[in-house]
Amino acid sequence: MMKKHPLLAALACAAALSGFSTGASAQFAKAEDAIKYRQSALFVMAQHFGRVGAMANGKVPFDAKAAEQNADIVAQMAKLPWAGFDAAHEGGKAKPEIWKEQAKFKDLADKMQAETVKLAAAAKTGDLDKLKAAFGPAAASCKACHDDFRNR
C-alpha cells in the first residue's frame, strides 16, 4: 500500500507522529505548511471520494472491491486535515469564519467524519444500494462545510 499511496502514507505518519493533542500550532512552523497539509489531506480524500461517487452515481461500473478500498481511504483521510486548522494558520481556501465559528466548524467536521465511516461500512457490504444510500449523506456533509467555510 505504501507504494500505491505514498502521500496517504506520509500524511498518516505525520498525523501519528505529531499527535493531535499537541495543537496545530505546535505541529507547523509556518502557516504555509499547515495550509499545504490540510489541502493535501482534503485533496487525497476528494480523489477517492470521487471514485466512490462515480460508482454510486452510475458514471462508472460498480466494482465492490474498488468501492471498499476507496471508501476506506476516505474514512481514514477524513481524520487528518483538522490538525492544519488553527488561528495561527489562517489562509488558503479557508474562510475566516472557521476561526470565528470554531464550534460550528468542529461539529461539521465531526459529522463528515461520522458519515465517511458509514460510507466505508456500506462499501464493505458489497451492496451498491447501500453504497448509494450512504454516499448522499456523506456528500452532503462535505458540502455543508464547503458552503459555510470554504472560499471558491
Side-chain angles (χ1 to χ4, degrees), residues 1 9 15 20 35 46 50 52 57 71 78 90 108 123 132 136-137 141 145 150:
M1 181 161 166
F20 290 133
I35 293 166
V52 175
N57 293 314
E90 293 185 34
L108 290 173
K132 287 178 180 181
S141 70
C145 198
R150 182 177 187 228

Side-chain angles (χ1 to χ4, degrees), residues 39-103:
Q39 287 178 343
S40 295
L42 291 164
F43 176 81
V44 171
M45 184 173 67
Q47 293 299 302
H48 292 277
F49 191 73
R51 294 172 189 167
V52 175
M55 286 183 255
N57 293 314
K59 293 181 181 175
V60 300
F62 177 63
D63 177 331
K65 183 176 172 111
E68 181 178 351
Q69 290 171 338
N70 283 287
D72 281 343
I73 292 169
V74 169
Q76 290 303 311
M77 294 304 296
K79 300 174 187 177
L80 299 180
W82 321 114
F85 287 98
D86 110 333
H89 303 112
E90 293 185 34
K93 294 181 179 179
K95 289 182 179 179
E97 287 80 4
I98 288 174
W99 293 276
K100 294 174 187 167
E101 301 175 38
Q102 278 286 298

